Amino acid sequence: MELIQQLSLEFTPLIDKSFSLAECPRWDWRSKTWLWVDIANGELWRYSQQVSDVRRWDEPLGCFAMWRDEGFILAAKSGIYRLDSWESNRELVAPLISEYPRMRFNDGRAAPSGHFVAGTRNGAKLGDQGQFYQLTENGQTNPMPMYAWTCNGLAFSPCGLYLYWADTGSSLVYRADYDPITGAYGQSDIFCDLNGFNGRPDGASVDSEGGYWVAMYGGRSVLRINTEGRVTHKLAVPAENPTMVAFGGESGQQMIVTTAEGSTGAGQVLSTELSAEVSWHGIEEPLVTVI
């Protein structure tokens, strides 16, 4: 078995604030700001040059993606919404219809095809499992055959030909073929089994060389998986519950790891810089164009 390289990077808080369940960090290259959500409190945060701002809604907010010049697509407990600008009111695009009260949208992002893809979570673990959906034209949601109690870890390869997702409960990461033009997708196959590692796979991102980085909730770490499905690097995180990892900043060398509250304290948004010992960097997040 090949050895896993231990990365040693120093994290500091990006912002001096505490969060319940910080998630979905994303570099907005349009405005050169960092954004993230605090799921439980229904908050969308943005931060740039020591200045922060927040939008709040009265329901959990799982994830978001960028839309047009300054807008966003939001995936909340009740459905998918459009936010034309930071200051505007959100407008419902597609409701989430479920008979299970603890079903909500959880993890999602814009696909290379311009579609918005997001998965749900059934916190009760009774009844239907969560599932990924792809937003199509005219506000329709296409259910995808990708099921888990907690759908997580959505990311796309730099070439756009592969979709990755994680089943948090089983600690399995899957990969499916994906058409970056049409949004058509293939069967999900097991890409990497993480049952031998501490924690469970949560949110993820892909670097410029196709490495899949996944936050290990409860494992105090982030893992990098290469394109062959082998864990090559492990990065210790100074928090009990890392929730997602993202790359960005002007050069794509800044790494952000969001965390959730745990026995050792509140959730945070942590920042570090990739060192000279690695050759990869972040890739530009696409915009949602199909709605």
Side-chain angles (χ1 to χ4, degrees):
M1 178 181 294
E2 297 184 52
L3 294 178
I4 298 172
Q5 183 176 345
Q6 305 291 320
L7 293 176
S8 180
L9 301 177
E10 183 176 350
F11 285 94
T12 57
L14 177 73
I15 182 173
D16 187 22
K17 291 185 181 295
S18 299
F19 303 93
S20 173
L21 180 49
E23 256 276 18
C24 196
R26 198 142 291 161
W27 172 250
D28 186 344
W29 46 266
R30 304 167 302 174
S31 59
K32 302 189 187 310
T33 58
W34 277 105
L35 297 105
W36 64 91
V37 301
D38 190 353
I39 293 180
N41 293 315
E43 296 176 343
L44 175 65
W45 286 79
R46 67 177 179 182
Y47 177 85
S48 178
Q49 299 180 348
Q50 310 300 316
V51 177
S52 65
D53 196 5
V54 61
R55 292 292 310 271
R56 295 184 180 90
W57 293 274
D58 59 355
E59 63 174 338
L61 175 63
C63 58
F64 71 94
M66 298 179 291
W67 181 64
R68 291 187 172 176
D69 292 338
E70 57 178 347
F72 303 93
I73 301 298
L74 313 174
K77 178 176 172 57
S78 61
I80 298 173
Y81 293 81
R82 189 184 76 226
L83 192 68
D84 290 340
S85 69
W86 183 262
E87 296 81 12
S88 64
N89 294 322
R90 66 178 191 174
E91 297 183 20
L92 182 65
V93 175
L96 176 60
I97 300 173
S98 174
E99 63 182 285
Y100 302 103
R102 293 187 63 186
M103 188 77 77
R104 63 166 174 81
F105 275 108
N106 186 56
D107 184 58
R109 68 192 327 142
S113 61
H115 293 82
F116 180 66
V117 180
T120 56
R121 175 182 189 270
N122 184 346
K125 296 181 173 60
L126 294 171
D128 290 344
Q129 287 186 301
Q131 182 176 10
F132 279 97
Y133 296 85
Q134 182 161 254
L135 188 64
T136 61
E137 293 180 350
N138 301 316
Q140 301 299 308
T141 50
N142 173 30
M144 307 168 78
M146 305 170 185
Y147 304 94
W149 292 120
T150 301
C151 292
N152 246 324
L154 182 68
F156 294 87
S157 61
C159 63
L161 296 176
Y162 298 108
L163 177 158
Y164 299 94
W165 65 280
D167 177 347
T168 297
S170 69
S171 288
L172 296 176
V173 178
Y174 292 87
R175 183 173 69 180
D177 291 339
Y178 192 84
D179 189 319
I181 304 300
T182 66
Y185 48 84
Q187 174 181 309
S188 294
D189 296 313
I190 295 176
F191 176 64
C192 187
D193 185 338
L194 296 176
N195 278 285
F197 294 86
N198 291 331
R200 296 170 292 162
D202 203 325
S205 291
V206 171
D207 65 35
S208 57
E209 295 184 0
Y212 178 87
W213 293 75
V214 60
M216 297 298 286
Y217 190 94
R220 299 178 178 270
S221 63
V222 170
L223 302 178
R224 182 183 189 266
I225 306 170
N226 67 12
T227 54
E228 285 75 47
R230 184 178 64 84
V231 177
T232 59
H233 296 77
K234 180 178 181 180
L235 172 62
V237 177
E240 181 181 359
N241 297 317
T243 57
M244 190 171 179
V245 55
F247 302 97
E250 295 285 355
S251 64
Q253 294 291 111
Q254 187 178 10
M255 176 190 285
I256 296 294
V257 176
T258 49
T259 74
E261 63 184 3
S263 60
T264 58
Q268 294 180 288
V269 179
L270 302 174
S271 173
T272 190
E273 294 287 331
L274 295 177
S275 61
E277 62 185 294
V278 300
S279 59
W280 52 74
H281 53 80
I283 58 177
E284 188 173 279
E285 192 78 18
L287 298 176
V288 174
T289 58
V290 180
I291 186 171

